[in-house]
Amino acid sequence: MAGSSFQVSKPMSVKEISAKAQDFDFNPFIAMKYWLRTAETLLREAQIYEQEENDQQAYLLLMRYATLVTEKLPLHPSAREPENRQGIKATTKRLPVVLDTLEVLKPRINARYAAWEKNMERRREASILLGHERSRSDLAAASDPAVAGNTTTLAAAENSQLAVKLAHKEIRRRDAARKATRQAGVSEQEEQERRTAGLWDDWEAALSKDRSKEEDEMQRNMEATRRRMDGTHDIVPDGARKLSRPRPAPIMPLKNGSSEYRYPSVTRSQPLSYEESFDSRSSSPTIPNLPPKPPKKSASAALYELQPPPVPEKATPGPPSLDMANAPPQSNFTFRPSAYLESGEPLRTVFLPPTLRTEFLKHAAPNTRNNLETCGMLCGTLISNALFIQRVVIPEQKSTSDTCETVNENSLFEYCSKEDLLLLGWIHTHPTQSCFMSSVDLHTHFGYQTMMNESIAIVCAPSKNPSWGVFRLTDPPGKQAIAQCRQSSLFHPHAETNIYTDALRPGHVFEAEGLEFSIVDLRP
């Protein structure tokens, strides 16, 4: 297969993944809403990685979530504001299940690491026979849990058509699963109960009358979680005991809805399958009375089951399972990073439909004729360690000749959650200006890139040449410069000359011919 390689780097150990998960910059000057959305993004990505059997990356994201929620968010200057306090409470309620999932993933990672050590010599011989040379991606793989130790990795440039076919198949499957979930229905009582597990737009409405009691419980849970993360993982938070049941509560809400951020059904992915050189999943915990295939059980599968299965007999704790008879075969490949931040951190490939900008400009045309900017959100999904832009959502907005401000932001995030979409960046027009990132654009994009390193900004300048560009903040120094900027004027200069850079190939963004997308206009 074009652009494929056999990975000679070893899998990462739990200790290495944990250290990497806790190594991130927490800037208290970034608004709390961005950190809370970052936490939600971490969980949603972890779900997909775990279901795709990428245990290392799932472990990293869940560990980072736990670190962010227990150690960082309580230190934020606005943590005690009512809406933020309720937001922290919502993230804290998920900690027991996050930790339970980590406990399920840990032995799998350890078993795989041990299997690698036993097979190291054989793998070395195989790589020599294949004439494999260690490229930058190979060397970086040793510290990237998403690809470390994977039998086969694929280069985006040589496999864009495979990526498109894979995306179309997986997106259609997820759409069908989401429709089935919606048809299942949910009682008003369940709807109200799940409201407390909602995201940022429902915190204020869901404030409890007995805040002091809830805060005490939240503090106990956080302290117990810290001890469990630092110790031998045998300390169960008080909240986890109260939530204890034969099947752990889902990491995120089960159902999708209009204002409760109930996430839709996204069952296990179905990428193409390749023969593995070795497999260590047979050591994973099991649950009795399950159908015989496949042996892999997803620790987050309870998120998506329409009805829970019968409670099993007492047995060795293990993850809840999907409909195993219909589960797809296990995959053993992943798209490897296509570019790197200036700091050396890998960037996952973002696949962009080539005609997206021209279609967006058609929707923006009335504003463009009136010298008004138009903005839209780039939404998509994660499949096999690559990000696919599949929808442009045009939110309600207020525009001038050189600014565009989103109105009723909650409706945008509500829509994204209901449709199971990740926010991958934004696109906007410069009706009369050239194609560049203004100071306003840089500060706007900072929020997106805080939530996800791969987030991009597309600028369309239809009256100029070049007429469009795809950008990201440099990291460092651009992202750090914007984080530290305290200038109050709307438009202002920055001292750094390389504050942003092109993201198109040879960056991490690839145009994928034939990649389907749609445009949804939420403007009144």
Side-chain angles (χ1 to χ4, degrees):
M1 175 172 295
S4 66
S5 68
F6 289 94
Q7 201 62 260
V8 298
S9 65
K10 68 176 183 179
M12 295 180 70
S13 67
V14 168
K15 182 178 180 180
E16 291 169 333
I17 298 172
S18 298
K20 189 174 182 65
Q22 298 176 63
D23 182 21
F24 67 95
D25 294 326
F26 179 79
N27 189 326
F29 291 105
I30 297 176
M32 175 66 90
K33 67 177 181 179
Y34 291 118
W35 287 118
L36 292 167
R37 292 170 186 172
T38 298
E40 191 62 33
T41 300
L42 289 172
L43 281 187
R44 297 179 71 186
E45 290 187 32
Q47 285 180 336
I48 296 174
Y49 277 114
E50 198 277 331
Q51 289 163 6
E52 291 183 340
E53 303 182 358
N54 195 328
D55 295 338
Q56 294 181 138
Q57 186 69 4
Y59 193 96
L60 179 140
L61 294 170
L62 293 175
M63 179 63 76
R64 183 163 292 176
Y65 176 91
T67 302
L68 177 64
V69 172
T70 60
E71 298 180 6
K72 306 298 184 181
L73 295 187
L75 302 179
H76 197 280
S78 62
R80 292 191 173 275
E81 294 179 5
E83 65 274 17
N84 292 334
R85 186 165 54 228
Q86 191 65 19
I88 295 175
K89 176 193 170 186
T91 59
T92 305
K93 287 179 67 174
R94 297 172 180 176
L95 281 173
V97 177
V98 168
L99 294 175
D100 288 344
T101 307
L102 287 170
E103 289 299 323
V104 172
L105 296 176
K106 185 175 180 180
R108 295 180 189 167
I109 296 171
N110 286 337
R112 188 182 189 196
Y113 189 82
W116 176 86
E117 290 182 321
K118 293 180 181 179
N119 289 275
M120 183 172 57
E121 186 60 35
R122 177 172 59 82
R123 290 170 63 84
R124 184 183 295 116
E125 293 173 357
S127 66
I128 293 173
L129 290 173
L130 290 169
H132 179 72
E133 297 181 2
R134 290 178 68 80
S135 63
R136 180 182 182 184
S137 62
D138 297 326
L139 295 171
S143 59
D144 183 2
V147 299
N150 279 355
T151 306
T152 304
T153 60
L154 303 179
E158 291 84 0
N159 292 280
S160 62
Q161 289 308 302
L162 169 65
V164 169
K165 292 178 182 178
L166 174 65
H168 289 169
K169 181 178 180 180
E170 177 63 11
I171 289 169
R172 290 189 184 107
R173 185 189 62 78
R174 293 182 184 181
D175 286 344
R178 182 166 54 251
K179 291 177 182 177
T181 300
R182 289 174 177 173
Q183 292 171 359
V186 59
S187 69
E188 293 184 4
Q189 182 178 359
E190 285 179 300
E191 185 176 18
Q192 184 61 31
E193 289 174 354
R194 287 168 184 164
R195 183 182 294 270
T196 60
L199 303 186
W200 42 89
D201 66 331
D202 287 320
W203 294 336
E204 194 167 0
L207 288 176
S208 170
K209 296 179 180 179
D210 191 2
R211 287 177 177 168
S212 61
K213 181 179 179 181
E214 291 175 348
E215 289 177 0
D216 289 342
E217 180 180 338
M218 182 172 67
Q219 185 65 29
R220 289 195 300 271
N221 285 347
M222 285 185 171
E223 291 173 356
T225 301
R226 291 191 192 102
R227 293 195 301 270
R228 188 172 175 185
M229 290 169 60
D230 295 336
T232 59
H233 297 271
D234 59 353
I235 301 174
V236 180
D238 294 338
R241 294 192 185 96
K242 293 181 180 180
L243 293 172
S244 179
R245 60 186 71 178
R247 297 171 58 82
I251 294 176
M252 289 192 284
L254 294 174
K255 302 289 182 69
N256 51 291
S258 60
S259 64
E260 287 70 42
Y261 280 80
R262 294 186 296 276
Y263 284 77
S265 174
V266 183
T267 49
R268 193 175 306 174
S269 305
Q270 303 183 44
L272 301 181
S273 179
Y274 296 88
E275 184 178 354
E276 285 195 325
S277 62
F278 70 93
D279 182 76
S280 61
R281 292 184 173 270
S282 59
S283 62
S284 302
T286 59
I287 295 179
N289 300 325
L290 290 177
K293 64 174 186 178
K296 168 70 170 65
K297 274 78 69 177
S298 170
S300 61
L303 303 175
Y304 307 116
E305 299 216 31
L306 303 183
Q307 294 181 357
V311 177
E313 299 285 338
K314 279 191 174 181
T316 303
S321 175
L322 293 168
D323 179 2
M324 306 303 289
N326 297 322
Q330 178 178 320
S331 67
N332 65 341
F333 80 90
T334 184
F335 287 101
R336 59 177 175 263
S338 53
Y340 299 83
L341 292 174
E342 289 70 18
S343 63
E345 283 290 307
L347 289 172
R348 295 167 294 188
T349 300
V350 175
F351 287 104
L352 172 69
T355 59
L356 182 145
R357 65 185 183 279
T358 56
E359 292 301 316
F360 172 73
L361 284 173
K362 293 178 183 178
H363 287 261
N367 275 0
T368 303
R369 286 193 293 268
N370 292 319
N371 193 26
L372 297 174
E373 286 195 1
T374 307
C375 67
M377 306 303 133
L378 303 174
C379 303
T381 193
L382 168 67
I383 303 172
S384 293
N385 201 45
L387 299 159
F388 295 82
I389 295 175
Q390 65 184 96
R391 201 165 303 175
V392 178
V393 181
I394 304 177
E396 186 179 351
Q397 53 197 264
K398 293 189 298 184
S399 301
T400 69
S401 59
D402 47 25
T403 64
C404 187
E405 180 182 356
T406 300
V407 178
N408 192 15
E409 192 178 52
N410 288 337
S411 64
L412 167 66
F413 288 101
E414 175 183 328
Y415 176 85
C416 290
S417 293
K418 186 169 63 176
E419 295 297 310
D420 191 41
L421 296 170
L422 291 171
L423 196 55
L424 305 180
W426 61 305
I427 180 172
H428 73 289
T429 59
H430 283 181
T432 58
Q433 299 185 75
S434 60
C435 181
F436 75 107
M437 292 280 281
S438 69
S439 58
V440 173
D441 297 339
L442 294 173
H443 282 268
T444 298
H445 188 63
F446 173 76
Y448 291 95
Q449 206 164 315
T450 295
M451 293 185 282
M452 182 183 290
N453 282 337
E454 291 83 2
S455 294
I456 59 173
I458 300 179
V459 179
C460 298
S463 64
K464 305 295 181 181
N465 187 23
S467 62
W468 72 292
V470 184
F471 307 108
R472 67 167 175 86
L473 296 175
T474 55
D475 185 6
K479 187 177 177 182
Q480 291 72 17
I482 298 299
Q484 297 168 8
C485 179
R486 299 293 177 266
Q487 299 186 63
S488 57
S489 58
L490 188 60
F491 294 98
H492 54 266
H494 297 96
E496 290 74 11
T497 56
N498 60 332
I499 203 164
Y500 69 94
T501 186
D502 290 332
L504 268 175
R505 184 178 180 186
H508 69 293
V509 180
F510 288 74
E511 290 189 284
E513 198 70 40
L515 183 58
E516 297 175 357
F517 73 98
S518 60
I519 297 181
V520 176
D521 197 334
L522 300 181
R523 293 175 295 181

